[in-house]
Amino acid sequence: MSKRIKTRGIKSNKAYTVIELAEVAGVSTATVRSWLKAGMPRVDDTRPTLILGFQALDFIQTRQKKAKRPLADGQFFCMRCKAQRAAYGAMADYLPASLNGGSLKTLCEVCGGACSRTISAAQLRSFEAVLSICQIVPEGAASADSPHTK
């Protein structure tokens, strides 16, 4: 499982060695070396290898943007398949976290594993057009107060 990269510590106007960049970003030196092999720019080919902070930030942010996979309405992220999947039987449970939104829980149509997605209350209507949604009311909460109770 990958961990988050600490980009806030990387200063754009500073040059880093591989070891310094690894410490500031909270990753291993092997990770920084793999970034260099993947195309992260370096100052020149001399040793020690120097990486400019703004180039490292651009490289990391570009990789993070490529890794994002936006989901369409009715799609969920399956934790077992590690892929975008549709809901099994086009059914989902909505668990409100607040008046502004909550989470949809369902099963994967391929493997039957758990799938979930956080949505806003405004998005709930568009999901109801695609899925049959059952709203789960937490114990102690009044069901008549929610604007989306069927």
Side-chain angles (χ1 to χ4, degrees):
M1 184 168 149
S2 64
K3 60 181 180 179
R4 290 185 187 258
I5 301 163
K6 300 175 188 170
T7 56
R8 295 188 80 186
I10 302 172
K11 305 299 179 204
S12 61
N13 58 351
K14 184 177 179 195
Y16 294 94
T17 64
V18 172
I19 295 169
E20 291 172 341
L21 184 59
E23 287 174 3
V24 171
V27 296
S28 68
T29 56
T31 300
V32 176
R33 287 190 187 99
S34 72
W35 291 344
L36 289 166
K37 286 180 184 176
M40 183 169 63
R42 59 184 91 195
V43 173
D44 54 19
D45 290 331
T46 61
R47 300 241 177 199
T49 302
L50 293 177
I51 305 140
L52 295 176
F54 73 91
Q55 291 176 330
L57 285 169
D58 288 342
F59 179 81
I60 293 167
Q61 289 167 352
T62 302
R63 283 178 65 110
Q64 288 173 339
K65 284 180 185 174
K66 286 181 186 177
K68 289 198 178 226
R69 294 176 268 169
L71 299 171
D73 287 351
Q75 280 190 327
F76 295 84
F77 187 79
C78 177
M79 301 300 181
R80 189 180 295 168
C81 298
K82 303 281 190 245
Q84 300 171 357
R85 301 286 187 215
Y88 180 77
M91 297 181 295
D93 294 332
Y94 177 70
L95 291 95
S98 68
L99 292 176
N100 297 328
S103 65
L104 284 174
K105 306 258 185 207
T106 188
L107 298 176
C108 175
E109 68 177 352
V110 175
C111 70
C115 298
S116 66
R117 181 172 179 174
T118 303
I119 64 168
S120 68
Q123 291 175 308
L124 188 58
R125 295 287 180 221
S126 64
F127 276 87
E128 286 175 337
V130 180
L131 300 170
S132 174
I133 296 176
C134 176
Q135 185 167 355
I136 307 296
V137 179
E139 290 183 29
S143 62
D145 294 342
S146 177
H148 302 291
T149 304
K150 290 185 175 182

